[in-house]
Amino acid sequence: MFPKPIEKQPRAAQISYQAMLPVALLLWLGPLLAVALFSIKPEADFTNANYWGLPSSFEGARNYGQVFFNSDMPRYLLNSFLITVPTVIGAVALSCMTGFALGIYKFKSNLWIFFMFVAGNFVPFQILMVPVRDLTLDLGLYNTKTGLVLFHIAFQTGFCTLFMRNFIRALPFELIEAARVEGISEWRIFWFVVLPLMKPAIAALSVLIFTFIWNDYFWAVVLTQGAESQPVTAGITSFNAQFRAAYHLMSAGSIVAALPPVAMFFLMQKHFIAGLTLGAVK
């Protein structure tokens, strides 16, 4: 008996599904489009309550120049890079080693240690606000980029280890056994056998962690203050005056702050998709 062919959906159903795509796309991109519109509006439009209409003049393009040259935005962007890049390197490097240990070696407490990494991902960060802030004060790391980097590495390592451990366990174990038969040391197996196979996973995880850390606002406000150490997400609020909000400058700053993660994704798109879909089809 031959399998029954899958019946095609009625054309009316296909049209209805296709009609939902623009609606879903508008809902998804709506906030971004609103911020982009606000970023090119002059300040007078907000004074006159012209929020959603077309810009009254093209002077709103000067908002980006004001953000770059008349504010601390370049310093905030540099702080974000100095916080995000070391965090990505540290968290991914640690997770590669812990994922290798938990995915390859079999010992009595393997599963319990793995559960500890997983359980840390379910702890709400908000309840740790006070003890983490007090800890950074006691260690002299409050309001420093180093303290924020160490904190992010500590909290992101759990998710990264979960990701890497599951990826390594899906690799062919025969390669490691063959290397051991040849007398290769364990660290050389990790460096020359396993690590090259992990490149898609490393690329995908790096993009995810870069986006998480770059877009973090909560801990940037809790653990830092001022232009010397705050990242760009917290620095955008500096455009607000005491009695008014500079929506045009905040919107322009938000668009500028969103460009690095978008550029990171498009540069690593091929490796990112390969890392997420590896093993999905056999």
Side-chain angles (χ1 to χ4, degrees), residues 27 34 45 60 79 82 91 144 151 154 176 217-218 220 271 273:
L27 291 175
D45 282 2
N79 291 342
L82 294 178
T144 63
F151 168 80
I176 299 174
Y217 174 76
F218 181 79
H271 302 287
I273 296 175

Side-chain angles (χ1 to χ4, degrees), residues 169-203:
R169 285 180 65 88
L171 297 177
F173 192 72
E174 292 78 8
L175 294 176
I176 299 174
E177 290 180 332
R180 287 173 176 172
V181 170
E182 296 294 332
I184 301 177
S185 61
E186 294 297 319
W187 74 268
R188 291 177 67 88
I189 292 176
F190 169 74
W191 189 261
F192 294 105
V193 178
V194 176
L195 199 60
L197 299 176
M198 295 169 60
K199 288 182 179 179
I202 292 174

Side-chain angles (χ1 to χ4, degrees), residues 112-129:
W112 288 105
I113 295 176
F114 175 65
F115 282 160
M116 290 178 62
F117 279 106
V118 175
N121 295 319
F122 297 98
V123 177
F125 287 172
Q126 291 78 4
I127 65 174
L128 302 176
M129 178 178 65

Side-chain angles (χ1 to χ4, degrees), residues 88 91-92 95 159-161 163-164 200-210 272:
V88 172
V92 172
S95 65
F159 169 76
C160 295
T161 299
F163 188 95
M164 286 299 183
I202 292 174
L205 190 59
S206 298
V207 174
L208 290 175
I209 300 303
F210 185 94
F272 177 76

Side-chain angles (χ1 to χ4, degrees), residues 251-273:
S251 300
S254 300
I255 295 296
V256 172
L259 293 179
V262 174
M264 177 77 170
F265 173 78
F266 281 107
L267 289 175
M268 305 289 289
Q269 181 179 9
K270 179 180 178 181
H271 302 287
F272 177 76
I273 296 175

Side-chain angles (χ1 to χ4, degrees), residues 44-203:
D45 282 2
F46 297 97
T47 304
N48 299 326
N50 180 21
Y51 296 108
W52 304 108
L54 295 176
S56 60
S57 67
F58 293 100
E59 297 180 359
R62 299 179 181 177
N63 297 337
Y64 289 93
Q66 189 171 352
V67 163
F68 270 106
F69 302 110
N70 297 331
S71 71
D72 292 324
M73 178 59 69
R75 182 60 183 269
Y76 290 126
L77 288 171
L78 178 61
N79 291 342
S80 288
F81 278 108
L82 294 178
I83 292 170
T84 304
V85 174
T87 299
V88 172
I89 294 175
V92 172
L94 284 175
S95 65
C96 286
M97 292 183 285
T98 54
F100 177 78
L102 294 174
I104 298 300
Y105 301 119
K106 298 180 180 179
F107 49 93
K108 184 178 297 184
S109 57
N110 183 306
L111 194 59
W112 288 105
I113 295 176
F114 175 65
F115 282 160
M116 290 178 62
F117 279 106
V118 175
N121 295 319
F122 297 98
V123 177
F125 287 172
Q126 291 78 4
I127 65 174
L128 302 176
M129 178 178 65
V130 174
V132 168
R133 181 181 179 276
D134 291 345
L135 180 62
T136 56
L137 284 171
D138 294 338
L139 296 177
L141 296 175
Y142 179 75
N143 198 29
T144 63
K145 293 185 284 292
T146 302
L148 200 55
V149 168
L150 294 176
F151 168 80
H152 282 309
I153 290 177
F155 275 84
Q156 294 297 328
T157 300
F159 169 76
C160 295
T161 299
L162 170 65
F163 188 95
M164 286 299 183
R165 184 256 189 186
N166 293 336
F167 182 87
I168 292 174
R169 285 180 65 88
L171 297 177
F173 192 72
E174 292 78 8
L175 294 176
I176 299 174
E177 290 180 332
R180 287 173 176 172
V181 170
E182 296 294 332
I184 301 177
S185 61
E186 294 297 319
W187 74 268
R188 291 177 67 88
I189 292 176
F190 169 74
W191 189 261
F192 294 105
V193 178
V194 176
L195 199 60
L197 299 176
M198 295 169 60
K199 288 182 179 179
I202 292 174

